[in-house]
Amino acid sequence: MRGKFRSSIGVWGLSIVLLITLGTVALSLLGIPFRSPSSAQPTSEPFNEDVSNTKHNLSANPVPNPTLFQELFDPDMERNVKSVDGPQGTTEVCVFCHTPHGASQEGVKIRAPIWNRNLSPAHYQMYDQVWSKSFEAKPNDPGRPTGYSRLCLSCHDGTIALGSLINKPGSGGFDPDGRNPIEMEYPTGQTPAGPPGSIPVGDGATQQATRVLGRDLRNDHPISMRFDTELLSKDHEFVDPGPPIRRPFTQSTPTPLSPLRRATGNSVDVFDSVQCTSCHNPHQVDFPKFLRANRLQSLTFATTQAAKHPGLPGTSAPPQGGGAIICLFCHDKPGWPYNEADLNSHFGDRQTGQFDDSRLKPGATNLHNSETPVVAERACLICHDPHTRQGAVRIMREGVDHFGNVAIEQTCFQCHQPQETSILQAPTRAPDIMTQFFKDREGNGSHGVSPTGSAMDLNLALGHQPVFVDLPTEGVQLGSDNRLPSFFGGPFSEPPNNKILTENAPPTPDTSHVECVDCHNMHRVTRRNRFEGMPGITIRSGIVASTLKSVDERREPYIYEVCLRCHGNTFNNHVREALFTAVGTGKVVQARGNSPVNPALGVNAHGSNKRKEFDPTSVPFYPENFRIQNPADPNGPLVPDPNPPRFNHSFHPVFQPGRNQSGVLNNYTLNMSTPTQQGQFLGRMGLSREKTIHCTDCHNTDLFGTYLGGALPLNRVFGAFGFPTLTSCWDGSQNVSCPDYPGPITFDDTRGTAYRRPTDVPPDIPVNPEATRTASLNDPNTAQGPHGSIYKRILRANYDTKVGTAEQKLCGDVLVVGTCPGGNGKATYNPQNFALCFNCHAEAAFITPAWTDSGPGVENCSKDASGAFIPPKARLTNFYRCETGNVDGQTSGGNLHMLHLVGRTNARCHECHNNVHSNVEAGNTIYVGLNNSNFVANNPGHNLDTHLINFQPNIRGNRSGEGAFDIRGEDHVMWGDGEVVNPTDFSFGHKGPGCNLRCHGFSMDHNTDAHSVINGQK
């Protein structure tokens, strides 16, 4: 049989060559120029046709070669529909599609090959711009299939019986209306999808494992669309098809797309369109599913199109000889085989020669039961299915939820779930992202109740479709055309070129949601950059991308710039702000992890504009909150500062290093030989005041945030100058009281320097002598990033946002009026309340006595019990004050952080640093005298930084008569120049910044001691 077909092909091929040659001569003699396709490349790809051994053999006869049939259609062992035996059936094979006489007149119009079937008059829903805004091709006839696709649909849409033929076998079989169809039977027990005798239902038209397509073609690869250089100009991620083939040449003429073919569309003389027959040959048996090329990718990852070939033809499955997967004959994705860009991470690493070895379970992704290729071999068809489930966009495999709604994450979860339930064979596995996302649905153990703040709390919807191609068709700043008014958020203009509508695409707004593809470009992601190919928003509201045509900065975005797509100017469209009135100032403020109804209840954070918060040039929202002493009435009420800051006066160092340049923010580990340069930052990789961090250094999986801390204060032994004996944390080694991964964690070893700024810090990967840590930043199969966490707000470690009130203090987690049980808060100190902070800021800096005074009075400050001077440079915090105990009942110590966190109120960081991102929107804080020349002289650098001090909204001012040093009758929450805020305390020698307020049932009206915050001094 094979020999016959090859011989036939050879004869026909010679005839075609002779006809083409004669035609060329004839055209020349007639004066008509002959134009061969300039980009066509010679090809001699052989193929084998044998329809009798396929499912397209609908005759009553058995298939001649059952082995070949099973190799092609496994797991099906036999045809699931065929003609009945006897007079109501037929033993003819070709008659179900072709007839030598009386063919379809509709078929003649599209030059169908003597078509023996009526074409369906059904109305269809096509895959087009209405369905997918990333679709940029031009339909032949919007809303209707054209060309040879209509021939295929005359069976595959399920509306016409397979035996309904125009010209049935035998004399008198002409039946143009199909009233007496050939009777069909269903050997495998399936039922017809439509009328009796129609194509079997399979799993149904809305499922993947079926070939009844129905009339809704939105879950099928687009057809009846032009594929030409015009499309290439819109989307460069295609192979250049060259000029269309024109008759007298045929669609089998070699082109850059061969062995795939363009077919006719609007003109029967021009082959310029994608139709069903572009990928399928209904007679071919070289590859399963009638494909013209392999549906597996060779593991030879060449970098040029010239190396691409369809594999050797054969009669076994999978085909032998490798070759390119069928998709890549049309699609040219950067980072994929036959493209010079670095390999996509799903293939491996072209630079190191390490290729992915994740292997599929038998039969996964609709493969044969005997096939277990690696992911790289299945390639495109891991994530895409040309005939996928109804409701999935961009033909995403399994891309719907249980209700049939689009859910792209389900495509990713095929691999990115626990290995046991994934499509991957053990021992290979992918990062288990699904479990991370599901943490918000399953609760978070002893740390609270569901939801925890995982990103999946947001709605999953179709509205936004991410940018993958050169033209920013769907928008980079998400929600830009659907902004909800926000008190703190705007107004803001949309970035230029943010959203350019495609031809025929409806102007539907973006929808609040989150999908994997909002942050990851699955086609371009590499092992060194998981955000490769994504666009982002810069700190100045511009567009940054390496892939788009019109950008403000052409490069790969930094991680925080990807976050700003949703968490920037349009935040309120995604994570709503929650507003209430601050007790201390009467200003409108945002709820930031604390509830105005029950302050002791830590809740999920609400939204805010992180772009504005991290932008050093942002102007404070409340400039009237900056006050100075009234020159005309020094002891009277404060007056507005005529020159308030016109810049962001304090922020975490995400865009650039922070304004606080004090030496207490130096790195300790790298300065162990120079004590005067030691600061409070952990990690051997150099985190310091001169460095930057990313959003994902705090917002990440809890796998990398473990911090147990230790018992305090009695069970810790303190060494010289009050430093605890936690040396093993400082020098980078580990014990149970140390962070697992001290410092930033964003840049693991699989990523390198592709998008790391000079000021970014690589992670400190610790040794693991106890071999107890099951997750590693070094392991590319470990889930990383802000997908989900057992801690609220998707934080890598716990950060407790419970707060007290002006009259109530926190004793543990309970609000109490008066003293805590035991007389102070030390019995309820829990380092887990601050575990997030202690991953970078050493706990020792906050709970270690700064020094021991030799006696009362400023003159005895900074001296130990023997009177020896302890220089300020030995301290790890600038928040200190002489004559102040670390714990209630002590008369010395001086570490005010320890007093607040351990010794008196059991306060949380969140009390004084209510917005840990920035002070630019601080509403419940009056900043006093920051430009006072005496204040600057006593505290160099303080006019440039407010130390992220922005008080929580339940703190109020000291009303007249409450404060021991309150002489103005001010009723505001004040922080700043101690000479103005607390003049009496200033006269006692405490010349540092001071606060005057009431919280936790205490009237606070004291200053710290003076210090500098510039040039690494302390």
Side-chain angles (χ1 to χ4, degrees):
M1 193 70 176
R2 290 285 177 176
K4 281 186 178 181
F5 272 101
R6 290 195 176 109
S7 300
S8 300
I9 291 170
V11 171
W12 279 102
L14 180 60
S15 302
I16 291 171
V17 170
L18 290 173
L19 285 172
I20 291 174
T21 303
L22 292 172
T24 304
V25 172
L27 289 171
S28 300
L29 293 173
L30 292 171
I32 301 174
F34 166 69
R35 294 182 298 171
S36 64
S38 61
S39 60
Q41 54 188 10
T43 181
S44 58
E45 307 292 354
F47 60 89
N48 296 289
E49 293 185 329
D50 184 1
V51 71
S52 64
N53 280 307
T54 74
K55 287 187 176 183
H56 285 168
N57 178 359
L58 299 176
S59 74
N61 288 341
V63 295
N65 187 344
T67 301
L68 174 59
F69 179 93
Q70 293 171 10
E71 289 173 341
L72 290 172
F73 300 106
D74 178 284
D76 290 342
M77 296 292 102
E78 60 178 316
R79 293 171 292 173
N80 44 31
V81 62
K82 68 179 186 68
S83 166
V84 298
D85 290 319
Q88 300 304 314
T90 181
T91 58
E92 292 191 21
V93 177
C94 303
V95 71
F96 286 91
C97 292
H98 307 289
T99 178
H101 308 287
S104 164
Q105 292 302 305
E106 281 292 306
V108 170
K109 295 177 182 178
I110 59 174
R111 292 203 179 188
I114 49 176
W115 199 246
N116 198 23
R117 302 183 58 80
N118 287 310
L119 303 188
S120 174
H123 295 282
Y124 296 88
Q125 286 184 286
M126 303 294 289
Y127 189 117
D128 54 21
Q129 286 101 336
V130 176
W131 172 238
S132 173
K133 288 182 286 184
S134 61
F135 178 72
E136 304 205 81
K138 181 177 292 185
N140 296 145
D141 186 2
R144 295 182 177 84
T146 61
Y148 278 13
S149 293
R150 296 185 64 196
L151 308 184
C152 304
L153 289 171
S154 66
C155 287
H156 283 275
D157 71 1
T159 63
I160 300 175
L162 298 176
S164 181
L165 309 180
I166 295 174
N167 197 5
K168 291 187 297 184
S171 176
F174 187 66
D175 184 16
D177 298 324
R179 295 180 178 178
N180 297 296
I182 293 173
E183 186 177 342
M184 309 300 290
E185 63 180 359
Y186 300 84
T188 60
Q190 293 194 25
T191 57
S198 60
I199 191 170
V201 69
D203 290 340
T206 63
Q207 304 301 310
Q208 287 179 158
T210 181
R211 290 302 170 257
V212 55
L213 303 181
R215 290 172 293 171
D216 187 344
L217 304 182
R218 293 176 297 176
N219 61 324
D220 302 293
H221 189 288
I223 56 171
S224 303
M225 48 163 271
R226 288 182 59 182
F227 182 16
D228 51 17
T229 53
E230 181 182 349
L231 173 61
L232 192 66
S233 68
K234 299 176 183 178
D235 185 347
H236 291 178
E237 295 184 354
F238 284 108
V239 174
D240 187 346
I245 302 298
R246 298 176 181 271
R247 294 190 189 276
F249 291 92
T250 68
Q251 61 181 339
S252 60
T253 302
T255 74
L257 308 179
S258 298
L260 274 59
R261 300 175 175 181
R262 285 181 292 177
T264 58
N266 289 336
S267 170
V268 295
D269 293 320
V270 182
F271 300 94
D272 61 355
S273 298
V274 172
Q275 304 288 9
C276 303
T277 52
S278 296
C279 297
H280 298 281
N281 178 342
H283 306 137
Q284 191 168 346
V285 293
D286 297 297
F287 308 102
K289 304 181 187 300
F290 302 100
L291 292 174
R292 296 184 182 274
N294 207 337
R295 81 261 200 270
L296 296 174
Q297 167 62 39
S298 166
L299 294 181
T300 302
F301 301 129
T303 60
T304 64
Q305 291 289 330
K308 185 171 58 180
H309 64 91
L312 299 176
T315 62
S316 62
Q320 304 301 309
I325 192 170
I326 187 170
C327 314
L328 297 184
F329 288 95
C330 290
H331 297 273
D332 183 17
K333 297 292 182 182
W336 288 62
Y338 320 111
N339 190 291
E340 61 184 1
D342 191 19
L343 275 176
N344 179 285
S345 61
H346 296 98
F347 290 106
D349 192 333
R350 184 176 278 149
Q351 294 184 21
T352 64
Q354 296 178 346
F355 300 108
D356 187 76
D357 62 352
S358 300
R359 190 167 294 278
L360 297 179
K361 293 175 180 175
T365 67
N366 295 337
L367 286 172
H368 295 171
N369 287 334
S370 60
E371 293 178 300
T372 59
V374 296
V375 168
E377 289 178 288
R378 193 57 167 145
C380 317
L381 297 176
I382 288 282
C383 299
H384 297 282
D385 184 347
H387 304 283
T388 190
R389 294 189 187 278
Q390 195 70 57
V393 294
R394 293 186 294 280
I395 56 173
M396 302 296 292
R397 186 180 294 276
E398 303 290 350
V400 293
D401 61 17
H402 294 299
F403 303 100
N405 300 317
V406 58
I408 296 174
E409 78 277 4
Q410 294 298 329
T411 300
C412 307
F413 288 166
Q414 290 183 104
C415 295
H416 293 280
Q417 61 175 290
Q419 186 278 322
E420 295 77 9
T421 54
S422 74
I423 63 175
L424 301 179
Q425 283 192 52
T428 59
R429 60 188 175 87
D432 179 10
I433 303 300
M434 185 179 76
T435 297
Q436 296 295 313
F437 273 126
F438 271 60
K439 286 178 179 177
D440 72 313
R441 302 178 183 178
E442 298 173 355
N444 57 350
S446 61
H447 302 286
V449 295
S450 181
T452 66
S454 161
M456 279 296 177
D457 282 343
L458 295 178
N459 180 44
L460 301 175
L462 173 61
H464 165 67
Q465 297 187 40
V467 176
F468 283 161
V469 295
D470 294 86
L471 191 64
T473 53
E474 283 76 59
V476 180
Q477 180 177 281
L478 304 189
S480 60
D481 57 357
N482 191 29
R483 286 195 299 266
L484 296 175
S486 60
F487 186 85
F488 288 98
F492 294 101
S493 59
E494 184 175 346
N497 304 306
N498 174 61
K499 189 163 189 169
I500 300 175
L501 295 178
T502 52
E503 186 179 14
N504 300 320
T508 54
D510 292 339
T511 304
S512 175
H513 81 309
V514 64
E515 293 280 13
C516 309
V517 286
D518 291 333
C519 300
H520 304 286
N521 185 333
M522 304 308 184
H523 294 133
R524 300 200 184 200
V525 60
T526 69
R527 291 195 173 189
R528 275 170 297 279
N529 187 348
R530 297 180 184 183
F531 298 90
E532 182 92 18
M534 284 303 298
I537 295 293
T538 70
I539 205 72
R540 303 286 186 259
S541 300
I543 294 177
V544 54
S546 64
T547 57
L548 306 184
K549 285 185 177 180
S550 300
V551 296
D552 297 283
E553 295 186 41
R554 185 164 300 283
R555 56 172 171 80
E556 293 294 336
Y558 301 123
I559 291 178
Y560 78 86
E561 292 172 324
V562 176
C563 302
L564 292 183
R565 297 183 70 197
C566 292
H567 297 281
N569 295 344
T570 56
F571 78 92
N572 205 42
N573 193 53
H574 307 283
V575 188
R576 303 286 175 82
E577 65 183 352
L579 308 175
F580 63 100
T581 302
V583 173
T585 62
K587 299 291 187 183
V588 174
V589 296
Q590 295 197 55
R592 295 186 179 274
N594 54 282
S595 167
V597 178
N598 184 355
L601 175 64
V603 298
N604 284 344
H606 299 279
S608 63
N609 188 338
K610 304 303 186 293
R611 185 205 62 77
K612 183 172 68 172
E613 291 175 349
F614 293 128
D615 182 359
T617 66
S618 292
V619 177
F621 192 84
Y622 289 115
E624 65 270 25
N625 278 5
F626 293 86
R627 306 286 180 85
I628 62 171
Q629 192 176 41
N630 187 346
D633 183 9
N635 293 327
L638 302 176
V639 296
D641 189 338
N643 296 300
R646 297 296 178 183
F647 54 83
N648 192 343
H649 46 101
S650 188
F651 47 83
H652 251 100
V654 170
F655 170 70
Q656 70 177 34
R659 298 201 184 279
N660 188 349
Q661 290 296 299
S662 170
V664 300
L665 297 182
N666 288 342
N667 185 278
Y668 185 93
T669 308
L670 301 184
N671 292 299
M672 293 189 70
S673 60
T674 312
T676 58
Q677 293 299 312
Q678 292 166 350
Q680 62 179 245
F681 279 128
L682 291 172
R684 296 167 294 179
M685 307 310 293
L687 178 62
S688 74
R689 59 187 169 80
E690 300 173 310
K691 299 300 183 180
T692 48
I693 60 175
H694 280 274
C695 309
T696 46
D697 289 323
C698 293
H699 298 281
N700 213 305
T701 172
D702 54 279
L703 296 174
F704 306 117
T706 305
Y707 181 71
L708 300 178
L712 274 175
L714 300 178
N715 295 338
R716 287 202 179 178
V717 179
F718 297 100
F721 304 126
F723 291 112
T725 55
L726 294 180
T727 306
S728 57
C729 289
W730 299 97
D731 64 13
S733 57
Q734 293 288 286
N735 63 46
V736 294
S737 296
C738 303
D740 278 359
Y741 298 93
I745 58 172
T746 293
F747 299 99
D748 62 68
D749 284 2
T750 66
R751 295 176 182 168
T753 59
Y755 58 101
R756 185 189 300 165
R757 297 168 294 182
T759 53
D760 288 332
V761 181
D764 185 4
I765 307 297
V767 297
N768 186 13
E770 300 167 0
T772 58
R773 298 177 178 88
T774 58
S776 172
L777 282 169
N778 275 328
D779 183 359
N781 292 322
T782 295
Q784 300 177 44
H787 304 106
S789 171
I790 64 173
Y791 305 110
K792 296 178 180 179
R793 296 172 291 279
I794 326 179
L795 293 171
R796 65 186 275 205
N798 195 43
Y799 179 69
D800 198 313
T801 58
K802 300 180 182 72
V803 294
T805 69
E807 305 300 337
Q808 298 168 298
K809 67 178 63 175
L810 275 171
C811 295
D813 292 336
V814 180
L815 285 173
V816 174
V817 177
T819 59
C820 293
N824 57 57
K826 67 180 180 181
T828 57
Y829 170 78
N830 182 0
Q832 282 297 301
N833 291 335
F834 321 100
L836 178 70
C837 308
F838 290 162
N839 272 278
C840 291
H841 299 268
E843 183 191 12
F846 299 87
I847 52 82
T848 305
W851 67 86
T852 302
D853 299 339
S854 60
V858 176
E859 67 276 7
N860 290 312
C861 284
S862 300
K863 295 180 182 179
D864 61 21
S866 64
F869 180 71
I870 301 176
K873 291 183 179 181
R875 306 185 191 113
L876 297 178
T877 175
N878 284 326
F879 193 38
Y880 63 89
R881 185 178 188 275
C882 295
E883 303 179 285
T884 302
N886 299 290
V887 180
D888 277 358
Q890 296 181 359
T891 58
S892 60
N895 187 338
L896 296 182
H897 276 123
M898 185 174 183
L899 176 66
H900 283 76
L901 303 184
V902 180
R904 176 173 293 179
T905 63
N906 196 214
R908 310 295 198 262
C909 305
H910 200 61
E911 304 272 5
C912 300
H913 308 288
N914 192 243
N915 181 356
V916 294
H917 300 113
S918 167
N919 281 357
V920 74
E921 293 173 356
N924 201 37
T925 308
I926 301 297
Y927 299 99
V928 179
L930 298 187
N931 291 318
N932 185 307
S933 58
N934 290 336
F935 178 58
V936 174
N938 290 325
N939 303 271
H942 266 291
N943 60 323
L944 299 177
D945 177 47
T946 51
H947 298 271
L948 281 176
I949 292 173
N950 54 92
F951 296 110
Q952 58 100 347
N954 292 295
I955 293 176
R956 64 172 174 82
N958 279 324
R959 294 189 172 94
S960 179
E962 288 183 331
F965 308 114
D966 178 28
I967 62 175
R968 293 187 177 83
E970 292 282 354
D971 189 16
H972 293 301
V973 180
M974 296 186 290
W975 178 90
D977 181 3
E979 185 176 9
V980 180
V981 174
N982 299 305
T984 304
D985 206 30
F986 183 87
S987 68
F988 292 162
H990 302 291
K991 298 184 178 181
C995 61
N996 196 309
L997 49 85
R998 185 172 180 81
C999 66
H1000 288 280
F1002 292 93
S1003 290
M1004 306 290 185
D1005 43 20
H1006 298 286
N1007 298 334
T1008 62
D1009 287 334
H1011 55 273
S1012 64
V1013 294
I1014 57 174
N1015 301 325
Q1017 300 175 23
K1018 62 175 182 173

